């Protein structure tokens, strides 16, 4: 990785670019003051309009996924969460993964490597519900969607959150 | 501005699980994403919700302070920021579980750690500044715990949108 050639690469946290400075100044959150972008701009010594412009650019490139709130979903009653894992035909996993990811209640959906023989599953879909029965109903819909393309699946429920810290880079 | 009437994951359970205050609920749902990039973004959102700018800011402060919200601001795609991640799992014997979990939690590279119902009963996210840092961190976790770690790096992302209505 040399040279900052794209906006997203510009934002690399070790960097000295304006985008990197904006990331560092906002990764703990946006100031709760009437002009939050002005507060960020004053902290890093640039114009408010420039902060807004660069954040808009980072939003467009995907370096910023969204600007908003992250709720504690346990506090909102979403207490059942199951990591459903599926052994899906390699030739169909991308097509089917996109369809599983689009289902209601599926919040994350990824393809990951199998680790044979212990772990035959290559599709991970996180399913949330207010009860375990809701999660099970969602899993049944995924079973129906995947049909014969899934050879096996399991649902791993979380029983305890042992650590949860935001991702921070200095 | 993304609207508060998202139909995804519409809950079937009773109202007891929801935020008690309907205004708080509207605020949480309205702040999911699309916070405006303009000089007075809070004023803009507040107006759409029928609140004052001060009231909205005070509510966000309170929702952060009481733990309803864990964060408010831009959510970065950390991999594009130069970070690297993997989902990792270990099979920990039950009598050793708490001791091993504590060792794993002690690594600053471990961001999230969950107990799960499986022979692989400890699942955690490892985040490091560089790709090579992942292998190094996993080797150190294996050395510290004496247990093998399976790593499941993301190969493809189909959907990531943690949007659950309040």
């Amino acid at each position: 990785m040399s040279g900052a050639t794209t906006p997203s690469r510009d934002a690399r946290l070790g960097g000295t670019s304006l985008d990197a400075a904006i990331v560092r100044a906002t990764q703990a959150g946006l100031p709760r003051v009437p002009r939050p972008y002005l507060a960020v701009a004053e902290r890093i010594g640039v114009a408010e309009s420039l902060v807004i412009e660069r954040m808009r650019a980072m939003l467009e490139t995907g370096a910023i996924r969204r600007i908003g709130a992250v709720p504690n979903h346990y506090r909102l009653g979403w207490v059942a969460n199951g990591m459903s894992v599926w052994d899906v035909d390699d030739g169909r996993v991308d097509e089917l993964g996109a369809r599983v990811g689009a289902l209601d209640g599926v919040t994350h959906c990824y393809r990951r490597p199998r680790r044979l023989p212990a772990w035959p599953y290559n599709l991970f879909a996180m399913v949330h519900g207010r009860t375990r029965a809701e999660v099970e109903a969602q899993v049944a819909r995924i079973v129906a969607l995947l049909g014969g393309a899934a050879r096996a699946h399991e649902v791993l429920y979380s029983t305890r959150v042992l650590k949860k810290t935001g991702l921070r880079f200095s | 501005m993304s609207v508060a009437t998202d139909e995804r994951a519409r809950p079937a359970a009773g109202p007891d699980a929801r935020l008690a205050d309907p205004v708080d609920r509207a605020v949480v749902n309205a702040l999911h994403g699309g916070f405006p990039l303009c000089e007075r973004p809070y004023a803009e959102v507040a107006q759409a919700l029928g609140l004052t700018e001060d009231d909205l800011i005070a509510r966000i402060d309170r929702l952060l302070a009481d733990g309803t919200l864990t964060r408010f601001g831009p959510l970065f795609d950390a991999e594009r920021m130069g970070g690297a991640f993997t989902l990792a799992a270990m099979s920990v014997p039950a009598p050793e579980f708490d001791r091993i979990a504590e060792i794993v939690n002690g690594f600053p590279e471990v961001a999230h750690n969950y107990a799960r119902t499986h022979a692989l009963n400890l699942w955690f996210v490892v985040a490091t500044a560089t790709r090579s840092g992942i292998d190094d961190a996993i080797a150190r976790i294996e050395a510290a715990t004496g247990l093998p770690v399976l790593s499941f790096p993301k190969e493809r992302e189909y959907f990531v949108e943690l949007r659950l209505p309040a």
Side-chain angles (χ1 to χ4, degrees):
Chain A
M1 296 272 178
S2 63
T5 53
T6 67
S8 58
R9 199 171 284 179
D10 268 343
R12 292 170 66 86
L13 275 161
T16 55
S17 69
L18 174 58
D19 286 1
I22 292 172
V23 172
R24 283 193 295 267
T26 59
Q27 64 175 343
L30 205 56
R32 268 97 55 204
V33 294
R35 294 178 70 177
Y37 305 114
L38 177 63
V40 171
E42 285 174 343
R43 198 180 312 168
I44 61 183
V46 298
E48 178 186 31
S49 59
L50 195 52
V51 168
I52 290 174
E53 180 191 315
R54 288 314 310 158
M55 287 184 70
R56 182 166 287 128
M58 285 192 273
L59 204 51
E60 279 165 12
T61 62
I64 294 177
R65 287 179 180 273
R66 61 184 171 93
I67 305 174
V70 180
N72 175 345
H73 53 262
Y74 287 91
R75 288 290 299 273
L76 301 183
W78 297 91
V79 294
N81 94 71
M83 184 173 76
S84 71
V85 294
W86 308 78
D87 176 9
V88 179
D89 187 290
D90 286 318
R92 300 193 60 199
V93 65
D94 287 342
E95 166 221 335
L96 290 166
R99 291 173 60 193
V100 170
L103 289 176
D104 285 354
V106 174
T107 55
H108 302 66
C109 190
Y110 301 109
R111 190 181 81 212
R112 300 184 186 275
R114 295 184 180 87
R115 298 298 183 200
L116 297 171
W119 189 261
Y121 308 109
N122 59 338
L123 183 69
F124 290 55
M126 194 64 72
V127 181
H128 288 263
R130 293 185 190 264
T131 63
R132 201 171 272 203
E134 272 187 36
V135 173
E136 283 162 5
Q138 290 291 352
V139 169
R141 295 180 61 191
I142 301 175
V143 168
L145 193 159
L146 294 177
R151 287 172 285 261
H153 78 275
E154 291 189 74
V155 182
L156 284 67
Y157 289 97
S158 70
T159 51
R160 271 197 288 163
V161 180
L162 302 166
K163 182 176 186 181
K164 186 161 188 170
T165 54
L167 302 171
R168 297 280 168 79
F169 300 94
S170 53
Chain B
M1 200 61 216
S2 85
V3 293
T5 52
D6 195 306
E7 290 298 319
R8 294 188 60 84
R10 181 59 67 202
D16 54 313
R18 292 162 164 250
L19 283 178
D21 182 335
V23 180
D24 281 351
R25 203 154 67 224
V27 166
V28 170
N29 284 330
L31 291 177
H32 174 74
F35 191 69
L37 280 159
C38 63
E39 287 187 6
R40 300 285 291 274
Y42 294 101
E44 191 176 312
V45 173
Q47 190 178 19
L49 289 168
L51 303 173
T52 66
E53 182 183 49
D54 285 349
D55 187 18
L56 177 63
I57 289 173
R59 279 177 188 271
I60 296 171
D61 276 336
R62 178 170 49 73
L63 292 166
L64 283 164
D66 74 14
T68 303
L69 299 179
T70 58
R71 202 170 172 287
F72 176 73
L75 273 86
F76 297 98
D77 180 342
E79 281 180 56
R80 294 190 190 218
M81 302 293 131
F85 301 87
T86 195
L87 176 66
M90 298 170 80
S91 184
V92 183
E96 300 277 358
F97 191 86
D98 288 347
R99 185 180 69 83
I100 297 290
E102 201 160 313
I103 293 171
V104 172
N105 285 349
F107 281 80
E109 296 90 345
V110 172
H112 301 170
N113 191 8
Y114 292 88
R116 290 193 180 278
T117 55
H118 193 270
L120 287 167
N121 52 359
L122 191 70
W123 288 79
F124 50 95
V125 173
V126 179
T128 59
T130 62
R131 177 57 55 190
S132 61
I134 293 287
D135 294 342
D136 176 63
I138 286 178
R140 284 184 288 115
I141 292 168
E142 288 183 322
T145 60
L147 294 170
V149 173
L150 291 182
S151 175
F152 302 95
K154 175 174 78 182
E155 292 178 335
R156 178 121 184 226
E157 176 178 306
Y158 302 111
F159 188 74
V160 181
E161 184 58 289
L162 189 60
R163 169 135 213 199
L164 302 170

